[in-house]
Amino acid sequence: MSVAAGSTTIARPGFAAAVAAERIKLTGIRSPWWCAGAAVAVTAGLGAIVSVATRYEGGPLTVATTQLVHSAGMAVVMVMAALAITTEHSTGTIRTTYLAVPRRGVALGAKAVVVAAVAAAVGLAGAFGSWGLSAALVPDVDLALHGAVEWRQVAGVGAVNLLAAVIALAVGILVRHTAGAVALVLVWGLVAEQLIGLLPGVGPALTPWLPFQAGKYFVTADGTATGLLGSPWAALGYLTAVAAGLLAVAVAVARRRDA
Amino acid sequence: MIEVRGLTRRYGATLAVDDLSFTVEPGRVTGFLGPNGSGKSTTMRLVLGLDRPSAGLALVDGVPYRELAHPLRTVGALLDARWVHPNRTARAHLRWLARSNRLPPGRVDEVLDQVGLTAVADRRAGAFSLGMAQRLGIAAALLGDPEILLFDEPVNGLDPEGIVWVRRFVRGLAAQGRCVLVSSHLLPEMALTADELVVIGRGRLIAQSTTAEFVDSASRTSVRVDGPRLDELAAALRRAGVEVGPSGDGALTATGTPMARIGRVAADAGLALSELSLHRGSLEEAFMRITGHEVEYTAGGPAGGPDDSAALTAAKG
């Protein structure tokens, strides 16, 4: 059969083809499945434990409480996202990728779409898992999703995971090495931001502008809360801008660099 | 067609590729020859848009690789057989490649069959031997049925069977009218595979010519002559205008004269011969001499002998 070049009748493979290829790549190996499973289990399990413990200690148990530890699953998702690109660099497949899709913005953008979709799905599964388990284990507390606020508190984990994964992917594109990228993403997301928040004086002022704190605020804020960024949705918008900006920088750098 | 014009790549203070220009025509195998570290791989990466040139340009099918509308349908490349995720199966590797360029999914099985990997298609690529990985790399290069193919050291590390297979395969692709560029640091290997040679040393073009021309000009032949009355024989040969000198081990070496004529001169002088044999300089020696000349030249050391310059000039012509 002939699939020869030069024929103008064949449509140029575009972004959709690159996304399909990235999907086959991500699902064709085992480690992303393990990461996804672990992320869901950690988010749901730890969330349920926190809910039960809160109930036993007599604290106020709300829908937001069930999502207090969503960052545990988010950490696993970020590792998966960083690995999606750093393993390509360590195995050399990034060059195969760029040979197949020489427009690097398309290649990396497609990877971002696939990684983000998986991260969002994992976040939703974990969040609803935690909420469902909590509701089942603590039946005497009303954990029903009454309105937009409660829906945001649970489903919002999907959005935050999606953006965290994009940030981790962008860091992976920039750093290229697995250890460096994973350490950077986890230390920043889980440790550094907390410490900055504890700085006397400037800490509280800086906190709303820390990307992962903004994500956390988006998920856990109740209906009355107003931070420096105003509404939780402004916080989400800010996190989105950070993720998009980082990805844009990473793609621009990758375009210029030797593969 | 591949066109390289004034291609230059600098890494810090090192010039990996230095103002390189050559063309690769369809319908024949072009050997890309040079010692290890002479810039062959860098040149191929520049042609494929993986690295950026410091100056000059490389065109495939008239455009830079990064601007190709159908990369895999236009160019197939095997630069490193290990550029495969070790935990992905051979089939999964080819499947994502096919999908990325909207190639018919049926092509995956076709190329697996073509390189003889059908039986191991669902095994992890990480478990492949180098020979199998090399075949998978060739399968990936063939996926889009491209007219232009680049292979970087495809026989490196292969067993004799694998070497013969790759050699035949590459020649077969050129026979189908495709444009094939194959790199190697071994002149004897290229002499068996390539119709045309692009020879580089230290990132610079040394010669582009047909393989036959290059080999002829590179390897000098001489005739070894021995007999009981050696001094008289040498004198007779010199009288007949034959360039002759001591061979270094008690015999004579004559250059530039056919063997038959030397026999006739000896017979006319009534001198018996105990040996009259043709000696062809090995290709390795010739290659080392020619590329070594280039190394010395660029290092600012003493220039090579006049014979080497003659060989170079002939090869360039």
Side-chain angles (χ1 to χ4, degrees):
Chain A
M1 68 170 288
S2 176
V3 288
S7 63
T8 48
T9 51
I10 305 167
R12 181 179 181 145
F15 194 68
V19 169
E22 288 297 331
R23 182 180 51 74
I24 296 171
K25 263 179 177 172
L26 193 71
T27 56
I29 46 177
R30 286 208 196 97
S31 60
W33 292 101
W34 283 109
C35 281
V40 171
V42 163
T43 310
L46 278 184
I49 290 170
V50 167
S51 299
V52 171
T54 305
R55 175 78 187 104
Y56 273 90
E57 287 177 3
L61 180 59
T62 62
V63 171
T65 314
T66 67
Q67 307 304 326
L68 274 179
V69 289
H70 75 271
S71 56
M74 186 180 79
V76 181
V77 162
M78 286 195 294
V79 171
M80 178 207 74
L83 282 174
I85 185 72
T86 56
T87 53
E88 287 224 16
H89 279 284
S90 65
T91 59
T93 36
I94 188 69
R95 292 168 200 124
T96 311
T97 300
Y98 288 157
L99 287 180
V101 186
R103 288 177 299 164
R104 298 186 183 179
V106 172
L108 296 171
K111 193 180 279 296
V113 165
V114 171
V115 165
V118 171
V122 164
L124 288 175
F128 279 98
S130 172
W131 168 75
L133 275 177
S134 302
L137 292 171
V138 192
D140 53 332
V141 175
D142 176 22
L143 288 175
L145 303 180
H146 289 294
V149 172
E150 288 83 2
W151 275 100
R152 165 171 56 73
Q153 289 172 338
V154 179
V157 174
V160 171
N161 264 17
L162 183 156
L163 296 168
V166 171
I167 290 173
L169 179 73
V171 170
I173 293 170
L174 289 168
V175 176
R176 292 186 276 190
H177 299 286
T178 300
V182 167
L184 191 61
V185 155
L186 291 186
V187 167
W188 176 262
L190 302 182
V191 184
E193 286 201 353
Q194 314 274 358
L195 295 180
I196 291 171
L198 295 176
L199 289 175
V202 290
L206 285 175
T207 298
W209 301 101
L210 299 172
F212 292 99
Q213 295 305 309
K216 188 169 196 157
Y217 176 66
F218 170 70
V219 168
T220 54
D222 59 32
T224 60
T226 48
L228 276 183
L229 279 168
S231 77
W233 293 99
L236 183 72
Y238 173 65
L239 180 58
T240 307
V242 169
L246 253 178
L247 184 63
V249 169
V251 168
V253 169
R255 271 211 196 102
R256 211 148 297 155
R257 244 179 349 206
D258 291 338
Chain B
M1 188 167 113
I2 303 172
E3 246 185 298
V4 169
R5 277 193 241 140
L7 199 63
T8 302
R9 177 60 213 236
R10 207 182 298 273
Y11 293 104
T14 331
L15 262 179
V17 178
D18 185 3
D19 195 22
L20 192 59
S21 301
F22 63 86
T23 54
V24 184
E25 304 281 346
R28 55 187 154 179
V29 177
T30 301
F32 193 23
L33 185 64
N36 286 327
S38 57
K40 303 186 298 292
S41 296
T42 305
T43 302
M44 286 187 152
R45 294 159 60 95
L46 292 167
V47 169
L48 294 167
L50 291 175
D51 290 7
R52 283 177 166 266
S54 307
L57 77 167
L59 304 178
V60 280
D61 233 17
V63 295
Y65 189 90
R66 288 197 190 195
E67 287 169 27
L68 288 173
H70 299 278
L72 297 186
R73 289 179 203 259
T74 314
V75 182
L78 168 60
L79 261 55
D80 186 328
R82 294 296 184 197
W83 288 351
V84 177
H85 195 296
N87 290 336
R88 209 169 272 137
T89 65
R91 180 175 275 123
H93 177 67
L94 296 173
R95 263 186 61 224
W96 79 255
L97 278 173
R99 200 72 174 73
S100 70
N101 276 241
R102 291 164 152 265
L103 305 174
R107 277 299 288 168
V108 170
D109 288 323
E110 283 178 29
V111 294
L112 280 169
D113 191 49
Q114 232 175 319
V115 302
L117 282 183
T118 307
V120 294
D122 293 312
R123 261 205 251 163
R124 286 173 50 242
F128 280 12
S129 67
L130 181 60
M132 286 156 84
Q134 207 76 279
R135 283 171 191 246
L136 177 57
I138 292 176
L142 295 175
L143 203 55
D145 197 15
E147 287 300 311
I148 300 170
L149 289 142
L150 291 92
F151 300 113
D152 194 8
E153 302 269 5
V155 300
N156 241 14
L158 294 189
D159 56 16
E161 196 193 353
I163 292 176
V164 170
W165 183 84
V166 168
R167 207 182 278 154
R168 278 206 197 124
F169 204 90
V170 163
R171 294 208 56 82
L173 291 169
Q176 292 164 6
R178 294 176 214 259
C179 176
V180 185
L181 182 66
V182 183
S183 80
S184 176
H185 61 282
L186 304 169
L187 178 55
E189 174 57 35
M190 285 291 93
L192 290 169
T193 315
D195 308 294
E196 171 110 5
L197 285 181
V198 172
V199 186
I200 67 167
R202 290 247 169 149
R204 290 185 180 199
L205 186 71
I206 293 177
Q208 174 164 19
S209 70
T210 67
T211 307
E213 272 170 21
F214 185 79
V215 167
D216 281 351
S217 65
S219 57
R220 292 174 290 188
T221 57
S222 61
V223 177
R224 189 181 148 92
V225 196
D226 203 357
R229 290 149 70 188
L230 214 54
D231 289 346
E232 287 173 48
L233 188 57
L237 286 170
R238 285 203 187 93
R239 271 198 305 279
V242 177
E243 205 177 295
V244 67
S247 69
D249 56 353
L252 296 172
T253 299
T255 49
T257 308
M259 212 157 45
R261 179 143 186 271
I262 292 169
R264 209 176 318 116
V265 170
D268 291 349
L271 294 163
L273 294 179
S274 60
E275 182 183 348
L276 182 62
S277 59
L278 189 69
H279 282 259
R280 192 171 243 281
S282 84
L283 291 176
E284 286 96 336
E285 279 167 21
F287 180 48
M288 269 158 50
R289 201 176 66 242
I290 288 170
T291 53
H293 174 271
E294 177 69 9
V295 170
E296 281 170 9
Y297 178 74
T298 50
D307 288 350
D308 295 338
S309 309
L312 285 181
T313 318
K316 270 176 180 160

